[in-house]
Amino acid sequence: MSDYPLLNRQLDALLDTRDWLTNTAQTSAFLMQQIPDLNWAGFYLQRTPRVLSLGPFQGKPACHPIPFDKGVCGAAARDGETQRVDDVHAVADHIACDSESRSELVVPIHAPDGSLWGVLDLDSPRPGRFSEADQAGIESLVATFRANSDLNGV
Ligand code: SME
């Protein structure tokens, strides 16, 4: 498994601005490079109420827009809870952007006022790629991204 404490220190050092645009670009590139077995890593942002707009990412061109009532990303945005899917084929509501994706982890990101700012979406070609420990590790990386970024607007 990845050394998440080390990855947190590296990400914290990498994010040397408070600009969310620069930091989402850097974070998606960092995750794609450092986390094994990913085919997509990126951000969706709430720029219109209850709609997720595609933000900076690494991987194939992806679905846009995603309303809050659709897909795994929509569920994370709607419920404000991380969605960990071992087999995307078993989820009727899953939106297939890249047919290679078999498992998925989506972490909601909240603005300082508690509103939903966006989500981080990771896709893997390997079923069951994300364990509970990976979920906790990725959530800690999202906390590092939040601590380094000004999320008052988007
Ligand atoms: N699979 C996601 C859509 C986003 S892509 O995977 C990049 C979903 O069901 O919400």
Side-chain angles (χ1 to χ4, degrees):
M1 205 195 44
S2 298
D3 181 345
Y4 287 105
L6 173 63
L7 292 177
N8 267 297
R9 290 197 296 279
Q10 291 173 330
L11 182 62
D12 192 50
L14 178 65
L15 302 180
D16 58 3
T17 166
R18 300 215 38 96
D19 186 319
W20 65 261
L21 178 58
T22 306
N23 287 352
T24 49
Q26 294 278 48
T27 301
S28 55
F30 177 78
L31 295 174
M32 195 65 163
Q33 194 170 44
Q34 298 294 341
I35 310 277
D37 297 332
L38 298 184
N39 60 309
W40 203 90
F43 291 84
Y44 279 92
L45 317 173
Q46 183 177 204
R47 313 187 83 176
T48 307
R50 300 190 69 78
V51 176
L52 294 168
S53 294
L54 183 59
F57 69 95
Q58 300 271 308
K60 289 188 182 166
C63 313
H64 165 86
I66 300 179
F68 272 30
D69 58 1
K70 291 256 167 65
V72 181
C73 290
R78 204 164 61 228
D79 302 346
E81 306 232 327
T82 298
Q83 306 292 307
R84 184 160 57 91
V85 177
D86 285 339
D87 179 3
V88 297
H89 293 172
V91 177
D93 195 26
H94 172 254
I95 304 167
C97 301
D98 181 344
S99 59
E100 252 193 76
S101 297
R102 290 300 308 278
S103 58
E104 180 162 16
L105 186 78
V106 185
V107 181
I109 305 170
H110 293 95
D113 68 2
S115 62
L116 195 280
W117 184 81
V119 303
L120 172 73
D121 181 17
L122 301 182
D123 286 16
S124 171
R126 185 150 67 79
R129 162 64 185 85
F130 305 103
S131 65
E132 269 183 48
D134 287 308
Q135 176 176 337
I138 301 293
E139 286 172 344
S140 72
L141 291 167
V142 168
T144 296
F145 162 78
R146 280 189 79 234
N148 279 277
S149 306
D150 177 4
L151 302 184
N152 287 307
V154 67

